[in-house]
Coordinates of all heavy atoms in Angstrom, one line a residue:
M249 N -9.4 93.8 -37.6 CA -10.7 93.1 -37.3 C -10.4 91.5 -37.5 O -10.9 90.8 -36.7 CB -11.8 93.6 -38.0 CG -13.0 92.9 -37.9 SD -14.1 93.5 -36.6 CE -15.6 92.7 -36.9
N250 N -9.9 91.2 -38.6 CA -9.8 89.8 -39.1 C -8.8 89.2 -38.1 O -8.8 88.0 -37.7 CB -9.3 89.6 -40.4 CG -10.3 89.8 -41.5 OD1 -11.6 89.7 -41.1 ND2 -10.0 90.3 -42.6
K251 N -7.7 89.9 -37.6 CA -6.7 89.4 -36.6 C -7.4 89.1 -35.4 O -7.2 88.1 -34.7 CB -5.6 90.4 -36.4 CG -4.7 90.5 -37.6 CD -3.6 91.5 -37.3 CE -2.7 91.6 -38.5 NZ -1.6 92.6 -38.4
K252 N -8.4 89.9 -34.9 CA -9.1 89.4 -33.7 C -9.9 88.3 -33.7 O -9.9 87.4 -32.8 CB -10.0 90.7 -33.3 CG -9.2 91.9 -32.8 CD -10.2 93.0 -32.3 CE -9.4 94.3 -31.9 NZ -10.3 95.4 -31.6
I253 N -10.5 88.0 -34.9 CA -11.4 87.0 -35.2 C -10.3 85.6 -35.1 O -10.8 84.7 -34.4 CB -12.2 86.9 -36.5 CG1 -13.2 88.2 -36.2 CG2 -12.8 85.6 -36.8 CD1 -13.9 88.3 -37.5
L254 N -9.4 85.8 -35.8 CA -8.5 84.5 -35.9 C -7.8 84.4 -34.5 O -7.7 83.2 -34.2 CB -7.3 84.9 -36.9 CG -7.8 84.8 -38.4 CD1 -6.5 85.2 -39.2 CD2 -8.2 83.4 -38.8
L255 N -7.5 85.3 -33.8 CA -6.9 85.1 -32.4 C -7.9 84.6 -31.5 O -7.6 83.6 -30.8 CB -6.5 86.4 -31.9 CG -5.9 86.4 -30.6 CD1 -4.6 85.6 -30.6 CD2 -5.5 87.8 -30.0
G256 N -9.2 85.0 -31.6 CA -10.3 84.3 -30.8 C -10.5 82.8 -31.1 O -10.6 81.9 -30.3
I257 N -10.5 82.5 -32.5 CA -10.5 81.1 -32.8 C -9.4 80.2 -32.4 O -9.6 79.1 -31.8 CB -10.6 80.9 -34.4 CG1 -12.0 81.6 -34.8 CG2 -10.6 79.6 -34.8 CD1 -12.2 81.7 -36.3
F258 N -8.2 80.8 -32.5 CA -7.1 80.2 -32.0 C -7.0 79.8 -30.5 O -6.8 78.7 -30.0 CB -5.7 81.0 -32.3 CG -4.6 80.3 -31.7 CD1 -4.0 79.2 -32.3 CD2 -3.9 80.9 -30.7 CE1 -2.7 78.7 -31.8 CE2 -2.7 80.3 -30.1 CZ -2.2 79.2 -30.8
A259 N -7.6 81.0 -29.7 CA -7.5 80.8 -28.2 C -8.6 79.7 -27.9 O -8.5 79.0 -26.9 CB -8.0 82.2 -27.8
L260 N -9.7 79.7 -28.5 CA -10.8 78.7 -28.3 C -10.2 77.3 -28.5 O -10.4 76.4 -27.6 CB -12.0 78.9 -29.2 CG -13.1 78.0 -28.9 CD1 -13.7 78.3 -27.5 CD2 -14.2 78.3 -30.0
G261 N -9.4 77.2 -29.5 CA -8.9 75.8 -29.9 C -8.0 75.4 -28.8 O -7.7 74.2 -28.3
V262 N -7.0 76.5 -28.3 CA -6.0 76.1 -27.3 C -6.7 75.7 -26.0 O -6.4 74.8 -25.4 CB -5.0 77.3 -27.1 CG1 -4.2 77.0 -25.9 CG2 -4.1 77.4 -28.3
L263 N -7.7 76.5 -25.5 CA -8.4 76.4 -24.3 C -9.1 75.0 -24.2 O -9.4 74.6 -23.2 CB -9.4 77.6 -24.0 CG -8.7 78.9 -23.7 CD1 -9.6 79.9 -23.6 CD2 -7.7 78.7 -22.5
S264 N -9.6 74.6 -25.4 CA -10.5 73.3 -25.4 C -9.6 72.1 -25.8 O -10.2 71.1 -26.0 CB -11.6 73.4 -26.4 OG -11.1 73.6 -27.6
G265 N -8.2 72.2 -25.7 CA -7.4 71.1 -26.1 C -7.5 69.9 -25.3 O -7.3 68.8 -25.7
C266 N -7.8 70.1 -24.1 CA -7.8 68.8 -23.2 C -9.0 68.9 -22.2 O -9.7 70.0 -22.0 CB -6.6 68.7 -22.2 SG -5.1 68.5 -23.1
G267 N -9.5 67.8 -21.6 CA -10.6 67.7 -20.7 C -11.9 67.7 -21.4 O -12.2 67.7 -22.5
N268 N -13.0 67.9 -20.6 CA -14.4 68.0 -20.9 C -14.5 69.4 -21.5 O -14.0 70.4 -21.2 CB -15.2 67.7 -19.9 CG -15.1 66.3 -19.3 OD1 -14.9 65.4 -20.1 ND2 -15.0 66.1 -17.9
K269 N -15.3 69.3 -22.6 CA -15.3 70.5 -23.5 C -16.8 71.2 -23.4 O -17.8 70.5 -23.5 CB -15.0 70.2 -25.0 CG -13.7 69.6 -25.1 CD -13.4 69.3 -26.5 CE -12.0 68.6 -26.7 NZ -11.9 67.4 -26.1
D270 N -16.9 72.5 -23.5 CA -18.1 73.1 -23.9 C -17.8 74.3 -24.8 O -17.1 75.3 -24.4 CB -18.7 73.7 -22.6 CG -20.0 74.3 -23.0 OD1 -20.4 74.4 -24.2 OD2 -20.6 74.9 -21.9
L271 N -17.9 74.1 -26.2 CA -17.5 75.1 -27.1 C -18.7 75.9 -27.6 O -18.6 76.6 -28.6 CB -16.9 74.4 -28.3 CG -15.8 73.4 -28.0 CD1 -15.3 72.8 -29.4 CD2 -14.6 74.3 -27.5
G272 N -19.8 76.0 -26.8 CA -20.9 76.7 -27.2 C -21.9 75.9 -28.2 O -22.9 76.3 -28.5
L273 N -21.4 74.8 -28.5 CA -22.2 74.0 -29.4 C -22.7 72.8 -28.6 O -23.5 71.9 -29.2 CB -21.3 73.4 -30.5 CG -20.6 74.5 -31.4 CD1 -19.7 73.8 -32.4 CD2 -21.6 75.3 -32.1
G274 N -22.5 72.8 -27.3 CA -22.9 71.6 -26.5 C -21.9 71.2 -25.5 O -20.7 71.5 -25.7
N275 N -22.4 70.6 -24.5 CA -21.3 70.2 -23.4 C -21.0 68.8 -23.6 O -21.8 67.9 -23.7 CB -22.0 70.5 -22.1 CG -21.0 70.1 -21.0 OD1 -19.8 70.1 -21.2 ND2 -21.6 70.0 -19.7
Y276 N -19.7 68.5 -23.9 CA -19.2 67.1 -24.0 C -18.5 66.7 -22.8 O -17.3 67.1 -22.7 CB -18.4 67.0 -25.3 CG -19.1 67.6 -26.6 CD1 -19.0 68.8 -27.0 CD2 -20.0 66.7 -27.1 CE1 -19.7 69.2 -28.2 CE2 -20.8 67.2 -28.2 CZ -20.6 68.4 -28.8 OH -21.2 68.7 -29.7
E277 N -19.0 66.1 -21.9 CA -18.4 65.6 -20.7 C -18.4 64.1 -20.6 O -19.5 63.5 -20.6 CB -19.1 66.3 -19.5 CG -18.5 66.0 -18.2 CD -19.0 66.7 -17.2 OE1 -19.4 67.9 -17.3 OE2 -19.1 66.2 -16.0
Y278 N -17.2 63.5 -20.6 CA -17.2 62.0 -20.5 C -16.2 61.6 -19.2 O -15.2 62.3 -19.0 CB -16.6 61.4 -21.8 CG -17.5 61.6 -23.1 CD1 -17.1 62.7 -24.0 CD2 -18.8 61.3 -23.1 CE1 -17.8 62.9 -25.0 CE2 -19.6 61.5 -24.2 CZ -19.2 62.5 -25.2 OH -19.9 62.7 -26.3
H279 N -16.5 60.5 -18.7 CA -15.7 60.1 -17.5 C -15.2 58.7 -17.8 O -14.2 58.3 -17.0 CB -16.6 60.1 -16.4 CG -17.2 61.5 -16.0 ND1 -16.4 62.5 -15.7 CD2 -18.4 62.0 -16.1 CE1 -17.1 63.5 -15.4 NE2 -18.4 63.2 -15.8
Y280 N -15.7 58.0 -18.8 CA -15.2 56.6 -18.9 C -14.9 56.3 -20.4 O -15.5 56.9 -21.3 CB -16.3 55.6 -18.5 CG -16.5 55.7 -16.9 CD1 -17.7 56.6 -16.5 CD2 -15.8 55.0 -16.1 CE1 -18.0 56.7 -15.2 CE2 -16.1 55.2 -14.8 CZ -17.1 56.0 -14.2 OH -17.4 56.1 -13.0
V281 N -14.0 55.4 -20.6 CA -13.7 54.9 -22.0 C -13.8 53.4 -22.1 O -13.4 52.6 -21.2 CB -12.4 55.4 -22.4 CG1 -11.3 54.7 -21.6 CG2 -12.2 55.0 -23.9
T282 N -14.4 52.8 -23.2 CA -14.5 51.4 -23.4 C -13.8 51.2 -24.8 O -14.4 51.8 -25.7 CB -15.9 50.7 -23.4 OG1 -16.3 51.0 -22.0 CG2 -15.9 49.3 -23.6
C283 N -12.9 50.3 -25.0 CA -12.3 50.1 -26.3 C -12.2 48.5 -26.6 O -12.1 47.7 -25.6 CB -10.8 50.6 -26.3 SG -10.7 52.4 -26.2
S284 N -12.4 48.2 -27.8 CA -12.1 46.8 -28.2 C -11.5 46.9 -29.5 O -11.8 47.5 -30.4 CB -13.7 46.2 -28.4 OG -13.5 44.8 -28.8
G285 N -10.5 45.9 -29.6 CA -9.6 45.8 -30.8 C -8.2 45.7 -30.3 O -8.0 44.8 -29.6
V286 N -7.2 46.5 -30.8 CA -5.8 46.3 -30.5 C -5.7 46.6 -29.0 O -4.9 45.9 -28.3 CB -5.0 47.4 -31.3 CG1 -3.5 47.4 -30.8 CG2 -5.1 47.1 -32.7
I287 N -6.4 47.5 -28.5 CA -6.4 47.8 -26.9 C -7.8 47.4 -26.3 O -8.8 47.6 -26.9 CB -6.1 49.3 -26.7 CG1 -6.0 49.5 -25.2 CG2 -7.1 50.2 -27.3 CD1 -5.5 50.9 -24.9
E288 N -7.7 46.7 -25.3 CA -8.9 46.3 -24.6 C -9.1 47.0 -23.3 O -8.3 46.8 -22.4 CB -8.9 44.8 -24.3 CG -8.8 43.9 -25.6 CD -10.2 44.0 -26.2 OE1 -11.2 44.1 -25.7 OE2 -10.2 43.6 -27.5
L289 N -10.1 47.8 -23.3 CA -10.5 48.6 -22.1 C -11.9 48.4 -21.8 O -12.7 48.5 -22.7 CB -10.0 50.1 -22.1 CG -8.5 50.4 -22.2 CD1 -8.4 51.8 -22.6 CD2 -7.8 49.9 -21.1
H290 N -12.3 48.2 -20.6 CA -13.8 48.3 -20.2 C -14.1 49.2 -19.0 O -13.7 48.9 -17.9 CB -14.2 46.9 -20.0 CG -15.8 46.8 -19.8 ND1 -16.6 46.9 -20.8 CD2 -16.5 46.5 -18.6 CE1 -17.7 46.7 -20.3 NE2 -17.7 46.6 -19.0
N291 N -14.8 50.2 -19.3 CA -15.3 51.2 -18.2 C -14.1 51.7 -17.4 O -14.1 51.9 -16.2 CB -16.3 50.5 -17.4 CG -17.6 50.4 -18.0 OD1 -17.9 51.2 -18.8 ND2 -18.3 49.3 -17.6
E292 N -13.0 52.1 -18.2 CA -11.8 52.7 -17.5 C -12.2 54.2 -17.3 O -12.5 54.9 -18.2 CB -10.6 52.5 -18.4 CG -9.8 51.2 -18.3 CD -9.3 50.9 -17.1 OE1 -8.8 51.8 -16.4 OE2 -9.2 49.6 -16.7
E293 N -11.9 54.7 -16.1 CA -12.1 56.0 -15.7 C -11.0 56.9 -16.3 O -9.8 56.5 -16.3 CB -12.1 56.2 -14.3 CG -12.8 57.4 -13.9 CD -13.1 57.6 -12.3 OE1 -12.9 56.5 -11.7 OE2 -13.6 58.6 -11.9
I294 N -11.5 58.1 -17.0 CA -10.4 59.0 -17.6 C -10.6 60.2 -16.9 O -11.5 60.7 -16.3 CB -10.8 59.1 -19.1 CG1 -12.2 59.7 -19.3 CG2 -10.5 57.8 -19.8 CD1 -12.5 59.9 -20.8
T295 N -9.5 61.0 -17.0 CA -9.3 62.4 -16.4 C -9.4 63.4 -17.4 O -10.0 64.5 -17.1 CB -8.0 62.7 -15.6 OG1 -7.0 62.3 -16.6 CG2 -7.9 61.6 -14.4
S296 N -9.0 63.2 -18.7 CA -9.3 64.1 -19.8 C -9.2 63.4 -21.1 O -8.8 62.1 -21.2 CB -8.0 65.0 -19.9 OG -6.8 64.4 -20.1
W297 N -9.7 64.0 -22.1 CA -9.8 63.4 -23.5 C -9.6 64.5 -24.6 O -9.9 65.7 -24.3 CB -11.0 62.6 -23.7 CG -12.3 63.5 -23.7 CD1 -13.0 63.8 -22.5 CD2 -13.0 63.9 -24.7 NE1 -14.0 64.6 -22.9 CE2 -14.1 64.7 -24.2 CE3 -12.9 63.9 -26.2 CZ2 -15.2 65.3 -25.0 CZ3 -13.8 64.6 -26.9 CH2 -14.8 65.2 -26.4
K298 N -9.3 64.0 -25.7 CA -9.1 65.0 -26.9 C -9.5 64.3 -28.1 O -9.0 63.1 -28.3 CB -7.7 65.5 -26.9 CG -7.5 66.4 -28.0 CD -6.0 66.9 -27.8 CE -5.4 67.7 -29.0 NZ -4.1 68.0 -29.0
D299 N -10.2 64.9 -29.0 CA -10.7 64.2 -30.2 C -9.6 64.9 -31.3 O -9.5 66.0 -31.6 CB -12.0 64.8 -30.6 CG -12.5 64.2 -32.0 OD1 -11.8 63.4 -32.6 OD2 -13.6 64.7 -32.4
N300 N -8.9 63.9 -32.0 CA -8.1 64.3 -33.0 C -8.6 64.1 -34.3 O -8.5 63.1 -34.9 CB -6.7 63.5 -32.8 CG -6.0 63.9 -31.5 OD1 -6.1 65.0 -31.1 ND2 -5.2 62.8 -31.1
D301 N -9.3 65.3 -34.9 CA -9.8 65.3 -36.2 C -10.9 64.1 -36.4 O -11.1 63.8 -37.6 CB -8.8 65.2 -37.3 CG -7.8 66.4 -37.3 OD1 -8.3 67.5 -36.8 OD2 -6.6 66.3 -37.5
G302 N -11.5 63.7 -35.4 CA -12.6 62.6 -35.6 C -12.0 61.3 -35.9 O -12.8 60.3 -35.9
E303 N -10.7 61.1 -36.1 CA -10.1 59.8 -36.5 C -9.6 59.1 -35.2 O -9.6 57.8 -35.2 CB -9.0 60.0 -37.5 CG -9.6 60.6 -38.8 CD -10.1 59.6 -39.7 OE1 -9.8 58.4 -39.6 OE2 -11.0 60.0 -40.4
Q304 N -9.0 59.8 -34.3 CA -8.3 59.3 -33.1 C -8.9 59.8 -31.9 O -9.2 61.1 -31.8 CB -6.9 59.5 -33.2 CG -6.3 58.8 -34.4 CD -4.8 59.1 -34.5 OE1 -4.3 60.2 -34.3 NE2 -4.1 58.1 -34.9
L305 N -8.8 59.2 -30.7 CA -9.1 59.7 -29.4 C -7.8 59.8 -28.6 O -7.1 58.6 -28.6 CB -10.3 59.0 -28.7 CG -11.5 59.1 -29.3 CD1 -12.5 58.1 -28.7 CD2 -12.1 60.5 -29.2
E306 N -7.6 60.7 -27.9 CA -6.4 60.8 -27.0 C -7.1 60.9 -25.7 O -7.7 61.8 -25.4 CB -5.5 61.8 -27.3 CG -4.2 61.9 -26.4 CD -3.2 62.9 -26.9 OE1 -3.4 63.6 -28.0 OE2 -2.4 63.2 -26.0
F307 N -6.8 60.0 -24.7 CA -7.2 60.1 -23.3 C -6.3 59.7 -22.3 O -5.4 59.0 -22.7 CB -8.5 59.3 -23.2 CG -8.5 58.0 -23.7 CD1 -8.0 56.9 -22.9 CD2 -8.9 57.6 -25.0 CE1 -7.9 55.6 -23.3 CE2 -8.6 56.3 -25.5 CZ -8.3 55.3 -24.6
T308 N -6.5 60.2 -21.1 CA -5.7 59.8 -19.9 C -6.4 59.0 -19.0 O -7.4 59.5 -18.6 CB -5.1 61.2 -19.3 OG1 -4.6 62.0 -20.3 CG2 -4.1 60.9 -18.0
L309 N -5.8 57.8 -18.7 CA -6.5 57.0 -17.7 C -6.2 57.5 -16.2 O -5.1 57.8 -15.9 CB -5.9 55.6 -17.8 CG -6.0 54.8 -19.1 CD1 -5.4 53.5 -19.1 CD2 -7.5 54.6 -19.4
K310 N -7.3 57.5 -15.6 CA -7.2 57.8 -14.1 C -6.3 56.9 -13.2 O -5.5 57.3 -12.5 CB -8.5 58.1 -13.5 CG -8.5 58.8 -12.1 CD -9.9 58.9 -11.5 CE -9.7 59.6 -10.2 NZ -11.1 59.9 -9.6
S311 N -6.4 55.6 -13.6 CA -5.8 54.6 -12.8 C -4.3 54.8 -13.0 O -3.5 54.5 -12.0 CB -6.2 53.2 -13.2 OG -6.0 53.0 -14.5
T312 N -3.7 54.8 -14.0 CA -2.3 54.9 -14.3 C -1.6 56.1 -14.7 O -0.5 56.5 -14.6 CB -2.0 53.9 -15.3 OG1 -2.5 54.3 -16.5 CG2 -2.3 52.5 -15.1
G313 N -2.5 57.2 -15.2 CA -2.1 58.5 -15.6 C -1.5 58.4 -17.0 O -0.8 59.3 -17.6
N314 N -1.5 57.2 -17.6 CA -0.9 57.1 -19.0 C -2.0 57.7 -20.0 O -3.2 57.8 -20.0 CB -1.0 55.5 -19.4 CG 0.2 54.7 -18.7 OD1 1.0 55.5 -18.0 ND2 0.0 53.4 -18.6
D315 N -1.2 58.4 -20.9 CA -1.9 58.9 -22.1 C -2.0 57.9 -23.2 O -1.1 57.2 -23.6 CB -1.2 60.1 -22.6 CG -1.2 61.4 -21.7 OD1 -2.4 61.4 -21.1 OD2 -0.3 62.0 -21.6
I316 N -3.3 57.7 -23.8 CA -3.4 56.6 -24.8 C -4.0 57.4 -26.1 O -4.9 58.1 -26.0 CB -4.3 55.5 -24.3 CG1 -3.5 54.9 -23.2 CG2 -4.6 54.6 -25.4 CD1 -4.4 53.8 -22.6
L317 N -3.5 57.0 -27.2 CA -4.0 57.5 -28.5 C -4.5 56.3 -29.2 O -3.8 55.3 -29.5 CB -2.8 58.1 -29.3 CG -3.3 58.7 -30.7 CD1 -4.1 59.9 -30.5 CD2 -2.0 59.1 -31.5
A318 N -5.9 56.2 -29.5 CA -6.5 55.0 -30.1 C -7.5 55.5 -31.2 O -7.9 56.7 -31.3 CB -7.4 54.4 -28.9
S319 N -7.8 54.6 -32.1 CA -8.8 54.8 -33.1 C -10.0 55.0 -32.5 O -10.6 54.3 -31.8 CB -8.7 53.6 -34.1 OG -9.7 53.8 -35.0
A320 N -10.8 56.0 -33.0 CA -12.1 56.4 -32.7 C -13.1 55.3 -33.1 O -14.3 55.2 -32.7 CB -12.5 57.7 -33.2
N321 N -12.7 54.4 -34.1 CA -13.6 53.3 -34.6 C -13.7 52.2 -33.5 O -14.6 51.4 -33.5 CB -12.9 52.8 -35.9 CG -13.0 53.6 -36.9 OD1 -13.9 54.5 -37.2 ND2 -12.0 53.7 -37.9
Y322 N -12.8 52.2 -32.6 CA -12.8 51.0 -31.6 C -13.1 51.6 -30.1 O -13.1 50.6 -29.3 CB -11.5 50.3 -31.6 CG -11.1 49.7 -33.0 CD1 -10.1 50.3 -33.7 CD2 -11.9 48.8 -33.6 CE1 -9.8 49.8 -35.0 CE2 -11.6 48.2 -34.8 CZ -10.5 48.8 -35.5 OH -10.3 48.4 -36.9
C323 N -13.2 52.7 -29.9 CA -13.3 53.2 -28.6 C -14.8 54.0 -28.5 O -15.2 54.7 -29.5 CB -12.3 54.0 -28.2 SG -10.8 53.3 -28.0
V324 N -15.3 53.9 -27.2 CA -16.6 54.7 -26.9 C -16.2 55.5 -25.6 O -15.9 54.8 -24.5 CB -17.8 53.7 -26.7 CG1 -18.9 54.5 -26.3 CG2 -18.1 52.9 -28.0
L325 N -16.5 56.7 -25.7 CA -16.6 57.6 -24.4 C -18.0 57.6 -23.9 O -18.9 57.7 -24.6 CB -16.1 59.0 -24.8 CG -14.6 59.1 -25.3 CD1 -14.4 60.6 -25.7 CD2 -13.6 58.5 -24.3
S326 N -18.1 57.6 -22.6 CA -19.3 57.6 -22.0 C -19.4 58.4 -20.6 O -18.2 58.5 -19.9 CB -19.9 56.3 -21.6 OG -19.1 55.7 -20.8
E327 N -20.5 59.0 -20.2 CA -20.6 59.7 -18.9 C -20.7 58.8 -17.9 O -20.2 59.1 -16.7 CB -21.8 60.6 -19.1 CG -21.7 61.8 -20.0 CD -23.0 62.6 -19.9 OE1 -23.5 62.8 -18.8 OE2 -23.4 63.1 -21.0
E328 N -21.3 57.7 -18.0 CA -21.5 56.6 -16.9 C -21.0 55.3 -17.4 O -20.7 55.1 -18.5 CB -23.0 56.5 -16.6 CG -23.6 57.8 -16.0 CD -25.1 57.7 -15.9 OE1 -25.7 56.5 -16.1 OE2 -25.8 58.6 -15.6
R329 N -20.8 54.4 -16.4 CA -20.3 52.9 -16.8 C -21.4 52.4 -17.8 O -22.4 52.4 -17.6 CB -20.1 52.1 -15.5 CG -18.9 52.7 -14.7 CD -18.9 51.7 -13.5 NE -17.9 52.3 -12.6 CZ -16.6 51.9 -12.6 NH1 -16.2 51.1 -13.7 NH2 -15.7 52.3 -11.9
L330 N -20.7 51.5 -18.7 CA -21.6 50.8 -19.7 C -21.8 49.5 -19.3 O -20.9 48.7 -18.7 CB -21.0 50.8 -21.1 CG -20.6 52.2 -21.7 CD1 -19.9 52.0 -23.0 CD2 -22.0 52.9 -21.9
G331 N -23.0 48.9 -19.4 CA -23.2 47.5 -19.4 C -23.3 46.9 -17.9 O -22.8 45.7 -17.8
E332 N -23.4 47.7 -16.9 CA -23.3 47.1 -15.5 C -24.6 47.1 -14.8 O -25.4 48.0 -15.1 CB -22.1 47.8 -14.7 CG -20.8 47.5 -15.2 CD -19.8 48.0 -14.4 OE1 -20.0 49.0 -13.5 OE2 -18.7 47.5 -14.5

C-alpha cells in the first residue's frame, strides 16, 4: 500500500516537471516572463517553466529556445503581457 502511494507521488512529480501545471491544487498557466536584475527580460514569451523549490525559476524562451535558470526574487511569470 505504501509503495503505491510513494509511486503515485513520484509519478505526479515527474509528470509535472515542465510546462503549465495542474496538480489538483489549482491551475498554474503562464505564458510570459519579466525579469529585472542580473538578467533583463520584459514580456518574453515562454514555452515551459518549472519552479525549483520556490527559490529559482527555470523557463524556456519561445524566441530562442534557450533554457534559463533565474532567481524567483527577480522574475515574474504572467498569463498576459504586463504594462502594455
Side-chain angles (χ1 to χ4, degrees):
M249 175 88 169
N250 288 338
K251 288 182 182 180
K252 288 182 181 180
I253 293 172
L254 290 175
L255 183 60
I257 292 171
F258 176 75
L260 184 62
V262 169
L263 292 174
S264 66
C266 294
N268 294 319
K269 300 176 182 70
D270 183 2
L271 303 178
L273 302 173
N275 187 14
Y276 303 99
E277 186 172 323
Y278 302 112
H279 303 288
Y280 298 95
V281 64
T282 298
C283 296
S284 180
V286 176
I287 183 171
E288 294 287 334
L289 299 170
H290 185 67
N291 289 327
E292 284 286 332
E293 199 166 356
I294 58 174
T295 57
S296 65
W297 65 277
K298 179 178 168 183
D299 178 11
N300 292 332
D301 298 325
E303 300 282 330
Q304 298 174 324
L305 294 172
E306 183 177 348
F307 49 88
T308 304
L309 297 177
K310 185 175 183 179
S311 60
T312 62
N314 290 342
D315 291 323
I316 296 176
L317 183 64
S319 171
N321 293 324
Y322 302 111
C323 294
V324 176
L325 297 173
S326 61
E327 292 181 37
E328 299 176 2
R329 292 182 181 270
L330 299 177
E332 290 186 346

